[in-house]
Amino acid sequence: MEGIDYPIGISLEEAVDYILSHVRRISRAEHLPLLSAAGRILAEDMITETENPPFDRSPIDGYACHAADLAAASHETPAVLKVVEEINAGQFSERTIQNGEAVRIMTGAAIPAGCDCCVRQEDTDYGEASVSVYQTVPVHGNYCDCGEDFPKGVCMLHAGEKLGYVEIANLAATGVDSVPVFEKPRIALFTTGDEVTEPGRPLLPGKIYNSNYY
């Protein structure tokens, strides 16, 4: 900062404020892949282009069905439902499930049309052709709605935020593979003093090693 008159005899806090008042804020940005963006500062607001989850999703291993079919379910009088399909994570069913029917479903799988709840497999007899359910479940019980984590078109992260592992994971969940970040600052660091000796050199009388720089 050539040409600046440096104040003398000020506190540490005043010195920091003085330095920052003469530093030019970085405005140039670059796009980086997500895995290279950790620790960088976001240059633009990030607006979600999709919802998450992108479909109604089961949070459990069990059976998707109609809550009304389980209204009187108990160990003494289980609700018996016909199992019409099995859906694993990554699969999608075009079937609409009717009353009295159930679908064997795994955690993360898309809940088929017609179902409004999921039953934990621990609350059933693990049936294959038909399943006995011993527990009532409310409408949308054990049920993750489409867009429950975040909807489409909202600002997930604001410019100026630091990208850590949580932020990067959330961006990946929206389908983003690269992000605009501010360029890294160029920093010159130096230490002075007649008493300072660099590590690795002989330490002469009255001298100390330069630990401040490191």
Side-chain angles (χ1 to χ4, degrees):
M1 296 183 290
E2 185 178 350
I4 297 175
D5 294 327
Y6 299 98
I8 300 175
I10 62 175
S11 68
L12 172 63
E13 291 75 18
E14 290 172 325
V16 171
D17 289 340
Y18 185 83
I19 292 172
L20 292 178
S21 70
H22 290 84
V23 172
R24 186 170 58 221
R25 181 179 293 273
I26 296 173
S27 59
R28 290 170 58 104
E30 58 183 341
H31 266 80
L32 290 181
L34 277 186
L35 290 178
S36 300
R40 301 294 290 273
I41 305 301
L42 196 60
E44 299 175 10
D45 290 348
M46 298 301 295
I47 308 300
T48 57
E49 296 184 1
T50 183
E51 53 272 313
N52 192 57
F55 46 79
D56 293 344
R57 179 174 64 187
S58 173
I60 60 170
D61 291 347
Y63 297 83
C65 59
H66 293 261
D69 288 335
L70 312 179
S74 68
H75 280 276
E76 292 74 25
T77 56
V80 180
L81 306 176
K82 179 183 178 182
V83 179
V84 295
E85 193 173 2
E86 179 173 322
I87 305 174
N88 296 308
Q91 297 178 335
F92 187 85
S93 174
E94 300 290 345
R95 184 193 297 261
T96 297
I97 306 306
Q98 306 300 320
N99 287 100
E101 297 179 339
V103 168
R104 183 79 165 103
I105 197 164
M106 302 301 167
T107 301
I111 297 174
C115 297
D116 58 13
C117 73
C118 294
V119 182
R120 297 188 313 156
Q121 61 185 13
E122 294 87 350
D123 295 324
T124 73
D125 67 348
Y126 293 76
E128 296 183 2
S130 65
V131 59
S132 294
V133 181
Y134 308 122
Q135 179 71 46
T136 61
V137 179
V139 173
H140 275 217
N142 301 321
Y143 194 108
C144 295
D145 290 290
C146 175
E148 182 175 294
D149 294 337
F150 52 79
K152 181 179 179 179
V154 299
C155 182
M156 170 173 282
L157 295 170
H158 294 279
E161 291 192 54
K162 185 176 182 179
L163 296 176
Y165 65 91
V166 173
E167 291 77 14
I168 288 176
N170 285 337
L171 288 170
T174 71
V176 169
D177 63 349
S178 66
V179 287
V181 296
F182 288 113
E183 290 184 346
K184 285 186 176 181
R186 291 176 294 172
I187 300 172
L189 180 65
F190 62 93
T191 56
T192 62
D194 293 339
E195 77 283 10
V196 174
T197 298
E198 290 304 310
R201 298 181 180 178
L203 193 63
L204 301 177
K207 304 293 185 179
I208 60 173
Y209 282 122
N210 183 7
S211 63
N212 283 344
Y213 176 82
Y214 295 91

